[in-house]
Amino acid sequence: MTIMAENISHGTVYHNFIDGSWVPSVSGDLFENRNPANTGDLIGVFQKSTRQDVERAIDAARRAYASWRLVPAPRRAEILFRAAHLIADRKEALARDMTREMGKVLDETRGDVQEAIDMTYFMAGEGRRLYGQTVPSELRDKFAMSVRQPLGVCAVITPWNFPMAIPSWKIVPALVCGNTVVFKPATLTPLSALSFVKILEEAGIPQGVVNLITGVGGEVGEPLLSSDDVRVVSFTGSTAVGRTVAQQAAPSFKKVHLEMGGKNVIMIMDDANLDLAVEGCLWGGFGTTGQRCTAASRVVVHERVYRAFLDRFVARAKALRVGDGLDPATHMGPSVSDAQRKTVMEYVDIGLKEGATLVCGGHPLGGESHAKGFFHEPTIFADVDPSMRIAQEEIFGPVVSVIPCRSFDEAVAIGNGVTYGLSASIYTQDVNRAFAAMRDLYTGIFYVNAPTIGAEVHLPFGGTKATGNGHREAGTAALDVFSEWKSIYVDFSGRLQRAQIDTADL
Ligand code: NAD
């Protein structure tokens, strides 16, 4: 069976994956996906799905759960190991598709695919662990233990900025725990999602265990969130949509895992290695065109090194080459869409009106080389006050706000002074300050002498406050989203023993 339905004149048409088959939406409606670096490049045409498609997928996943949950976890994991091999074999082609699909440079899309490989291997390993506890009972001839059990059908809703890594963070732990999945990828990156599901199919995932539905967020999302048959929702995306997801999922008491926006900070102290800090701010601020939840969109700099840092940072940012991510000479790709670039332009206006000093960039890029894409200059505002909107709100673009501070304590207060709490970092040579910052920044991730991006798959990933609702993905923490504890007591005494009461019998 092929994922391509027709190769019609206006591009390849891709299908949904429901109950083990690649099928069109009942709507008959389609949407286009185009390259944000070159809108003349049509990636493909995808299904604009409806409630009916979603209900079919949920039903398939519900039926498949009955047998998948009973497949021994090490056997489930064998399929995932095969999938990891297949992703690794196809890494280069998958990365190229992804660069065409959402714009980030090839090195970064290779990293995205590598993260899916790493996560799949790591979670497949969990198939032989999924550790619970055995503890001594307080009573004689009694055995006490806890085991993880799956929950059922999981809805997986993902954003476009990590089109393969983030789906893998959710789908693979869900599967190894014995759940089934209905996956709704971002409208802007359906091809990478399809390729991932296609690989799971080739690796031997049984019919109905993984289902993929493409389409508009609200239309596909609502029936997933309201269904009584869906027991878990794992969502990564904006804080505004995350709030809606939580509200819609509440009446049916689903387990809701939310990973949302960020306004991450790099703090540069007066004893920092400034060259290292400049490198970190370039990568943290402009990597993925600033479109990472962990992007370093705020840099707080001690006044004693403020001018020296700013001069070097601006000089390096001005030298960044912006262009098509497939070109090896490109440092920074386009915004993912026209709407995203407009948001960037609006925030540049807001920053100027707020009185921040524009010291680098600030304009969309046109001209012959950039006319067909959504390019924008790397942009730096200096002398930013922490209360300004550009220092408070997630922009999700290549805009960095540099904020002066007078002390370590002030840097920490500014760092914590936003509604989000995903990632933070400090550049310092002072181990005491580094440990104090590790303790005092209320974020889910912290770095010392490295930027705010660079998480590895085997530690928990997620944020506090408006970034998350207390869950974590990645590491073994992800298993807590996709499993529930069952505590089991086996009494082999042959008589009634009452916990907390019959304790005199030592
Ligand atoms: P988004 O919130 O617009 O969309 C996320 C997903 O939700 C998409 O699949 C979308 O189609 C779907 N969706 C939209 N409306 C919906 C609805 N009413 N019901 C159900 N689903 C709906 O976010 P985006 O623009 O795709 O991604 C960017 C955002 O994601 C940024 O805020 C970024 O910080 C965040 N993000 C967070 C993390 C993290 O781990 N914390 C990681 C990556 C991205």
Side-chain angles (χ1 to χ4, degrees), residues 4 25 40 55 74 76 163 194 198 220 225 245 286 304 313 347 374 376 379 381 414 419 435 442 445 460 462 470 475:
M4 295 175 202
S25 163
E55 284 171 354
R76 295 196 291 255
L194 258 87
K198 175 76 184 148
V220 173
L225 299 170
V245 166
F286 302 117
R304 279 202 277 273
F313 184 38
Y347 272 101
F374 308 122
H376 194 280
T379 297
F381 279 107
I414 295 169
T419 54
F435 269 90
Y442 184 39
I445 307 170

mmCIF file of all heavy atoms in Angstrom, residues 4 25 40 55 74 76 163 194 198 220 225 245 286 304 313 347 374 376 379 381 414 419 435 442 445 460 462 470 475:
data_model
loop_
_atom_site.group_PDB
_atom_site.id
_atom_site.type_symbol
_atom_site.label_atom_id
_atom_site.label_comp_id
_atom_site.label_asym_id
_atom_site.label_seq_id
_atom_site.Cartn_x
_atom_site.Cartn_y
_atom_site.Cartn_z
ATOM 1 N N MET A 4 0.942 7.516 -1.228
ATOM 2 C CA MET A 4 0.573 8.471 -2.257
ATOM 3 C C MET A 4 -0.648 7.948 -2.986
ATOM 4 O O MET A 4 -0.650 6.822 -3.475
ATOM 5 C CB MET A 4 1.695 8.608 -3.272
ATOM 6 C CG MET A 4 2.943 9.189 -2.691
ATOM 7 S SD MET A 4 4.201 9.151 -3.936
ATOM 8 C CE MET A 4 5.647 9.212 -2.913
ATOM 9 N N SER A 25 -9.869 11.501 2.997
ATOM 10 C CA SER A 25 -10.893 11.997 3.926
ATOM 11 C C SER A 25 -12.257 11.879 3.278
ATOM 12 O O SER A 25 -12.388 12.013 2.056
ATOM 13 C CB SER A 25 -10.605 13.469 4.242
ATOM 14 O OG SER A 25 -11.748 14.077 4.798
ATOM 15 N N GLY A 40 7.037 28.621 -4.674
ATOM 16 C CA GLY A 40 6.770 27.944 -5.946
ATOM 17 C C GLY A 40 6.938 26.432 -5.824
ATOM 18 O O GLY A 40 6.530 25.676 -6.709
ATOM 19 N N GLU A 55 -13.454 10.177 13.968
ATOM 20 C CA GLU A 55 -14.198 9.141 14.704
ATOM 21 C C GLU A 55 -13.816 7.747 14.223
ATOM 22 O O GLU A 55 -13.695 6.809 15.024
ATOM 23 C CB GLU A 55 -15.710 9.396 14.580
ATOM 24 C CG GLU A 55 -16.126 10.564 15.485
ATOM 25 C CD GLU A 55 -17.548 11.035 15.280
ATOM 26 O OE1 GLU A 55 -18.214 10.533 14.337
ATOM 27 O OE2 GLU A 55 -17.984 11.914 16.043
ATOM 28 N N PRO A 74 8.478 -6.216 25.574
ATOM 29 C CA PRO A 74 9.695 -6.420 24.774
ATOM 30 C C PRO A 74 9.387 -6.712 23.297
ATOM 31 O O PRO A 74 10.175 -6.369 22.417
ATOM 32 C CB PRO A 74 10.373 -7.624 25.446
ATOM 33 C CG PRO A 74 9.864 -7.588 26.849
ATOM 34 C CD PRO A 74 8.438 -7.123 26.736
ATOM 35 N N ARG A 76 6.667 -5.464 21.686
ATOM 36 C CA ARG A 76 6.295 -4.141 21.154
ATOM 37 C C ARG A 76 7.566 -3.368 20.818
ATOM 38 O O ARG A 76 7.668 -2.693 19.780
ATOM 39 C CB ARG A 76 5.473 -3.353 22.195
ATOM 40 C CG ARG A 76 4.128 -3.972 22.521
ATOM 41 C CD ARG A 76 3.199 -2.991 23.228
ATOM 42 N NE ARG A 76 3.575 -2.634 24.578
ATOM 43 C CZ ARG A 76 2.991 -3.086 25.693
ATOM 44 N NH1 ARG A 76 1.966 -3.939 25.614
ATOM 45 N NH2 ARG A 76 3.378 -2.689 26.881
ATOM 46 N N PRO A 163 9.163 18.635 13.397
ATOM 47 C CA PRO A 163 8.104 17.823 12.769
ATOM 48 C C PRO A 163 8.251 16.320 12.950
ATOM 49 O O PRO A 163 7.270 15.589 12.821
ATOM 50 C CB PRO A 163 8.232 18.171 11.277
ATOM 51 C CG PRO A 163 9.038 19.419 11.222
ATOM 52 C CD PRO A 163 9.927 19.414 12.420
ATOM 53 N N LEU A 194 3.755 12.047 8.032
ATOM 54 C CA LEU A 194 3.396 10.864 7.238
ATOM 55 C C LEU A 194 4.576 9.909 7.110
ATOM 56 O O LEU A 194 4.416 8.692 7.213
ATOM 57 C CB LEU A 194 2.938 11.293 5.833
ATOM 58 C CG LEU A 194 1.433 11.295 5.599
ATOM 59 C CD1 LEU A 194 0.826 12.616 6.014
ATOM 60 C CD2 LEU A 194 1.119 11.022 4.149
ATOM 61 N N LYS A 198 4.610 6.105 8.213
ATOM 62 C CA LYS A 198 4.901 5.104 7.173
ATOM 63 C C LYS A 198 5.998 4.141 7.664
ATOM 64 O O LYS A 198 5.933 2.927 7.463
ATOM 65 C CB LYS A 198 5.336 5.843 5.902
ATOM 66 C CG LYS A 198 5.793 4.972 4.772
ATOM 67 C CD LYS A 198 4.630 4.318 4.093
ATOM 68 C CE LYS A 198 5.086 3.357 3.014
ATOM 69 N NZ LYS A 198 4.188 2.220 2.864
ATOM 70 N N VAL A 220 -10.096 18.948 13.498
ATOM 71 C CA VAL A 220 -9.644 17.596 13.840
ATOM 72 C C VAL A 220 -9.501 17.474 15.359
ATOM 73 O O VAL A 220 -9.752 16.419 15.942
ATOM 74 C CB VAL A 220 -8.296 17.289 13.132
ATOM 75 C CG1 VAL A 220 -7.733 15.964 13.597
ATOM 76 C CG2 VAL A 220 -8.486 17.300 11.627
ATOM 77 N N LEU A 225 -10.729 15.687 21.310
ATOM 78 C CA LEU A 225 -10.733 16.142 22.700
ATOM 79 C C LEU A 225 -12.042 15.801 23.415
ATOM 80 O O LEU A 225 -12.060 15.623 24.627
ATOM 81 C CB LEU A 225 -10.482 17.660 22.752
ATOM 82 C CG LEU A 225 -9.130 18.079 22.165
ATOM 83 C CD1 LEU A 225 -9.042 19.586 22.016
ATOM 84 C CD2 LEU A 225 -7.992 17.565 23.027
ATOM 85 N N VAL A 245 -7.278 23.231 24.689
ATOM 86 C CA VAL A 245 -7.189 21.766 24.741
ATOM 87 C C VAL A 245 -7.558 21.275 26.138
ATOM 88 O O VAL A 245 -8.370 20.351 26.300
ATOM 89 C CB VAL A 245 -5.762 21.306 24.338
ATOM 90 C CG1 VAL A 245 -5.519 19.848 24.702
ATOM 91 C CG2 VAL A 245 -5.520 21.540 22.851
ATOM 92 N N PHE A 286 19.021 32.575 17.180
ATOM 93 C CA PHE A 286 18.695 32.540 15.748
ATOM 94 C C PHE A 286 18.637 31.127 15.152
ATOM 95 O O PHE A 286 18.245 30.971 13.998
ATOM 96 C CB PHE A 286 19.684 33.421 14.972
ATOM 97 C CG PHE A 286 19.666 34.851 15.460
ATOM 98 C CD1 PHE A 286 20.793 35.434 16.031
ATOM 99 C CD2 PHE A 286 18.502 35.596 15.396
ATOM 100 C CE1 PHE A 286 20.757 36.739 16.517
ATOM 101 C CE2 PHE A 286 18.449 36.902 15.876
ATOM 102 C CZ PHE A 286 19.584 37.468 16.438
ATOM 103 N N ARG A 304 28.703 45.613 33.507
ATOM 104 C CA ARG A 304 30.155 45.748 33.331
ATOM 105 C C ARG A 304 30.641 45.164 31.994
ATOM 106 O O ARG A 304 31.706 45.525 31.518
ATOM 107 C CB ARG A 304 30.897 45.079 34.498
ATOM 108 C CG ARG A 304 30.967 45.971 35.740
ATOM 109 C CD ARG A 304 32.121 45.552 36.663
ATOM 110 N NE ARG A 304 31.712 44.443 37.507
ATOM 111 C CZ ARG A 304 31.099 44.590 38.685
ATOM 112 N NH1 ARG A 304 30.898 45.785 39.184
ATOM 113 N NH2 ARG A 304 30.747 43.547 39.384
ATOM 114 N N PHE A 313 28.104 40.648 19.694
ATOM 115 C CA PHE A 313 26.888 39.900 19.327
ATOM 116 C C PHE A 313 26.283 40.486 18.039
ATOM 117 O O PHE A 313 25.941 39.751 17.097
ATOM 118 C CB PHE A 313 25.893 39.984 20.491
ATOM 119 C CG PHE A 313 24.622 39.198 20.313
ATOM 120 C CD1 PHE A 313 24.609 37.943 19.698
ATOM 121 C CD2 PHE A 313 23.409 39.694 20.796
ATOM 122 C CE1 PHE A 313 23.426 37.216 19.548
ATOM 123 C CE2 PHE A 313 22.221 38.982 20.649
ATOM 124 C CZ PHE A 313 22.240 37.739 20.021
ATOM 125 N N TYR A 347 6.083 42.581 15.976
ATOM 126 C CA TYR A 347 6.833 42.753 17.225
ATOM 127 C C TYR A 347 7.997 43.724 17.047
ATOM 128 O O TYR A 347 8.390 44.414 18.002
ATOM 129 C CB TYR A 347 7.303 41.401 17.773
ATOM 130 C CG TYR A 347 6.261 40.769 18.666
ATOM 131 C CD1 TYR A 347 5.439 39.749 18.204
ATOM 132 C CD2 TYR A 347 6.075 41.226 19.973
ATOM 133 C CE1 TYR A 347 4.465 39.195 19.024
ATOM 134 C CE2 TYR A 347 5.111 40.669 20.797
ATOM 135 C CZ TYR A 347 4.302 39.650 20.321
ATOM 136 O OH TYR A 347 3.338 39.110 21.138
ATOM 137 N N PHE A 374 9.713 33.493 3.077
ATOM 138 C CA PHE A 374 9.290 34.356 4.192
ATOM 139 C C PHE A 374 10.510 34.709 5.052
ATOM 140 O O PHE A 374 10.587 34.336 6.233
ATOM 141 C CB PHE A 374 8.221 33.634 5.015
ATOM 142 C CG PHE A 374 7.080 33.110 4.182
ATOM 143 C CD1 PHE A 374 6.761 31.756 4.184
ATOM 144 C CD2 PHE A 374 6.339 33.972 3.372
ATOM 145 C CE1 PHE A 374 5.718 31.267 3.403
ATOM 146 C CE2 PHE A 374 5.288 33.493 2.588
ATOM 147 C CZ PHE A 374 4.982 32.136 2.601
ATOM 148 N N HIS A 376 13.417 36.997 6.993
ATOM 149 C CA HIS A 376 13.501 38.202 7.833
ATOM 150 C C HIS A 376 14.915 38.302 8.389
ATOM 151 O O HIS A 376 15.536 37.276 8.691
ATOM 152 C CB HIS A 376 12.484 38.127 8.987
ATOM 153 C CG HIS A 376 12.270 39.429 9.681
ATOM 154 N ND1 HIS A 376 13.140 39.924 10.632
ATOM 155 C CD2 HIS A 376 11.285 40.356 9.557
ATOM 156 C CE1 HIS A 376 12.691 41.097 11.064
ATOM 157 N NE2 HIS A 376 11.569 41.380 10.438
ATOM 158 N N THR A 379 17.372 39.942 14.124
ATOM 159 C CA THR A 379 17.044 41.249 14.712
ATOM 160 C C THR A 379 17.402 41.282 16.191
ATOM 161 O O THR A 379 17.098 40.338 16.928
ATOM 162 C CB THR A 379 15.530 41.513 14.513
ATOM 163 O OG1 THR A 379 15.288 41.582 13.102
ATOM 164 C CG2 THR A 379 15.087 42.799 15.180
ATOM 165 N N PHE A 381 17.264 43.866 19.605
ATOM 166 C CA PHE A 381 16.927 45.102 20.323
ATOM 167 C C PHE A 381 17.838 45.190 21.540
ATOM 168 O O PHE A 381 18.002 44.204 22.271
ATOM 169 C CB PHE A 381 15.477 45.080 20.807
ATOM 170 C CG PHE A 381 14.472 45.457 19.754
ATOM 171 C CD1 PHE A 381 13.649 44.488 19.187
ATOM 172 C CD2 PHE A 381 14.342 46.775 19.332
ATOM 173 C CE1 PHE A 381 12.712 44.829 18.225
ATOM 174 C CE2 PHE A 381 13.405 47.122 18.363
ATOM 175 C CZ PHE A 381 12.589 46.153 17.800
ATOM 176 N N ILE A 414 14.885 39.107 36.756
ATOM 177 C CA ILE A 414 14.419 39.342 35.376
ATOM 178 C C ILE A 414 14.145 37.996 34.709
ATOM 179 O O ILE A 414 13.126 37.805 34.042
ATOM 180 C CB ILE A 414 15.465 40.155 34.574
ATOM 181 C CG1 ILE A 414 15.629 41.563 35.149
ATOM 182 C CG2 ILE A 414 15.069 40.226 33.089
ATOM 183 C CD1 ILE A 414 16.826 42.337 34.587
ATOM 184 N N THR A 419 5.773 34.983 32.322
ATOM 185 C CA THR A 419 4.748 33.981 32.659
ATOM 186 C C THR A 419 5.208 32.561 32.311
ATOM 187 O O THR A 419 4.627 31.592 32.798
ATOM 188 C CB THR A 419 3.434 34.258 31.900
ATOM 189 O OG1 THR A 419 3.735 34.346 30.512
ATOM 190 C CG2 THR A 419 2.779 35.536 32.363
ATOM 191 N N PHE A 435 25.557 27.431 40.740
ATOM 192 C CA PHE A 435 24.658 26.565 41.515
ATOM 193 C C PHE A 435 23.463 27.345 42.057
ATOM 194 O O PHE A 435 22.346 26.827 42.113
ATOM 195 C CB PHE A 435 25.429 25.859 42.634
ATOM 196 C CG PHE A 435 25.963 24.522 42.187
ATOM 197 C CD1 PHE A 435 27.215 24.414 41.610
ATOM 198 C CD2 PHE A 435 25.182 23.380 42.298
ATOM 199 C CE1 PHE A 435 27.688 23.188 41.159
ATOM 200 C CE2 PHE A 435 25.646 22.151 41.852
ATOM 201 C CZ PHE A 435 26.910 22.062 41.280
ATOM 202 N N TYR A 442 13.113 29.359 38.029
ATOM 203 C CA TYR A 442 11.975 28.433 38.072
ATOM 204 C C TYR A 442 11.614 28.000 36.649
ATOM 205 O O TYR A 442 10.666 28.489 36.042
ATOM 206 C CB TYR A 442 10.786 29.079 38.786
ATOM 207 C CG TYR A 442 9.611 28.145 38.947
ATOM 208 C CD1 TYR A 442 9.798 26.800 39.253
ATOM 209 C CD2 TYR A 442 8.312 28.601 38.778
ATOM 210 C CE1 TYR A 442 8.738 25.933 39.381
ATOM 211 C CE2 TYR A 442 7.227 27.741 38.907
ATOM 212 C CZ TYR A 442 7.451 26.403 39.202
ATOM 213 O OH TYR A 442 6.390 25.539 39.309
ATOM 214 N N ILE A 445 14.177 23.399 32.570
ATOM 215 C CA ILE A 445 15.481 23.058 31.986
ATOM 216 C C ILE A 445 16.448 24.198 32.303
ATOM 217 O O ILE A 445 16.059 25.378 32.273
ATOM 218 C CB ILE A 445 15.371 22.907 30.445
ATOM 219 C CG1 ILE A 445 14.264 21.915 30.078
ATOM 220 C CG2 ILE A 445 16.702 22.455 29.836
ATOM 221 C CD1 ILE A 445 13.922 21.886 28.600
ATOM 222 N N PRO A 460 14.215 14.373 31.401
ATOM 223 C CA PRO A 460 12.883 14.970 31.227
ATOM 224 C C PRO A 460 12.959 16.314 30.510
ATOM 225 O O PRO A 460 13.908 17.073 30.702
ATOM 226 C CB PRO A 460 12.404 15.157 32.671
ATOM 227 C CG PRO A 460 13.239 14.253 33.501
ATOM 228 C CD PRO A 460 14.542 14.109 32.806
ATOM 229 N N GLY A 462 10.482 19.746 29.566
ATOM 230 C CA GLY A 462 9.208 20.448 29.739
ATOM 231 C C GLY A 462 9.400 21.654 30.621
ATOM 232 O O GLY A 462 10.518 21.936 31.059
ATOM 233 N N GLY A 470 2.820 20.401 34.416
ATOM 234 C CA GLY A 470 3.376 19.516 35.428
ATOM 235 C C GLY A 470 3.886 18.188 34.916
ATOM 236 O O GLY A 470 4.535 17.454 35.648
ATOM 237 N N GLY A 475 12.992 11.091 28.473
ATOM 238 C CA GLY A 475 13.436 10.361 29.658
ATOM 239 C C GLY A 475 12.379 9.362 30.120
ATOM 240 O O GLY A 475 11.360 9.163 29.444
#
